[in-house]
Amino acid sequence: MSVLSNNTILSKYLALEQRGKVQVEYVWIDGTNGLRSKTRTVDFVPKSASELPEWNFDGSSTGQAEGHDSDVLIQPVAIYNDPFRGGDNKLVLCATYNPDGTPHKTNYRHACNKIMDTHASTKPWFGIEQEYMFFDPETAKPYGWPKHGFPAPQGPFYCGIGAGKIFGRDIVEAHYRACLHAGVNISGVNAEVAPGQFEYQVGPCVGISMGDELWISRYILERVAEDFGIVVSIHPKPVKGDWNGAGCHTNFSTEAMRQEGGIAEIEKAIKKMSTRHMEHIEVYGEDNDQRLTGRHETGHINDFSYGVANRGASIRIPRHVGKEGKGYLEDRRPASNIDPYRVTGIIMESTFLPDN
């Protein structure tokens, strides 16, 4: 029986009355920058994450604890509508903590939240462009690629239309709708440069909510693709050779940057980020050296550069921003597999370094 046939059967059960019970899916980040989840039943409809109880999991099975002391605590931090179960059911993103209440070493949200709180008065906005690629688990090749050899060279696939150019649009559309239902501020999608490769954009989001919404959107993508029997890869170089890698271009602005004359604040922030280039690279994703080669619309990993409308630079100032003299910057260095808390946190840190 096919996956989709199974889902048709499942839908009959999902329509059954739950008799005052609500299913809450607890989602957390594991020890390898992946996602895990499990379900809890509650007797009320939660309106906020703070209403939900703390829980725990076996960290020895997620790369986050030793077997002799394996409990890791999960604290709900952000709540969303559940697009899979519907009704009053919820998804809740959780942060990980040690049994003594201190943040787990994989909990990058904790430090990021402190930074965002410190600079909340600057009203930071973020938008992240998540690139990814679909893989066929039977062939271990990108979805839609021929079983033998390679597809045509890059060119017709970016924002393409039609059979032979686009593979997986139904999955993309299902993810888009599911994010909207969940309450994620997903702002768009498009097919990317390589066949089977796509991008969606989340934002603008204020402060810590950027990391929360990107993580839950990734969870939703994995769950949707699971229904279709397709694997999602967020590796920064999913296919070796003359194919574009995958990034998480991060757009950033403060209130001062968005006001008249804000270009001066943008350039000031870029200058400060340039002095910490390699510190940024350290938290901009694993295997990012395979992507940041100076080719395929990237700057070289060892060099820092910026320019107006330059997609080969480390940081791009969009053309309309340069023309209007205000707006935002686009950091093109982050890889597709980033932890968004680490990226948004260091961007804020660098921007607000003391002036010399």
Side-chain angles (χ1 to χ4, degrees), residues 30-61:
D30 69 13
T32 57
N33 206 43
L35 288 163
R36 308 288 179 116
S37 74
K38 61 178 183 174
T39 313
R40 182 174 192 145
T41 305
V42 298
D43 297 324
F44 64 98
V45 180
K47 298 295 191 295
S48 67
S50 62
E51 295 177 12
L52 291 165
E54 182 180 84
W55 208 5
N56 64 77
F57 65 91
D58 172 16
S60 67
S61 297

Side-chain angles (χ1 to χ4, degrees), residues 10-18 85:
L10 177 61
S11 67
K12 296 179 181 179
Y13 292 97
L14 292 177
L16 294 175
E17 183 184 353
Q18 293 175 225
R85 296 184 172 116

Side-chain angles (χ1 to χ4, degrees), residues 82-147:
D82 188 335
F84 306 103
R85 296 184 172 116
D88 291 327
N89 300 302
K90 303 295 180 183
L91 304 178
V92 61
L93 183 68
C94 300
T96 52
Y97 287 87
N98 298 311
D100 64 2
T102 58
H104 192 272
K105 63 182 180 180
T106 59
N107 179 358
Y108 296 110
R109 187 184 192 277
H110 184 79
C112 181
N113 200 31
K114 285 186 174 181
I115 295 168
M116 296 302 174
D117 283 347
T118 299
H119 302 289
S121 62
T122 67
K123 299 181 181 178
W125 289 2
F126 293 92
I128 292 184
E129 305 165 24
Q130 175 71 68
E131 295 179 338
Y132 62 93
M133 181 170 272
F134 290 135
F135 275 78
D136 184 333
E138 293 186 2
T139 64
K141 299 186 75 171
Y143 185 48
W145 284 37
K147 292 183 178 181

Side-chain angles (χ1 to χ4, degrees), residues 292-318:
L292 294 182
T293 61
R295 301 182 61 215
H296 303 112
E297 300 180 288
T298 69
H300 195 277
I301 195 169
N302 294 325
D303 303 322
F304 182 89
S305 59
Y306 79 97
V308 175
N310 185 354
R311 285 180 166 77
S314 306
I315 293 182
R316 178 178 75 100
I317 298 175

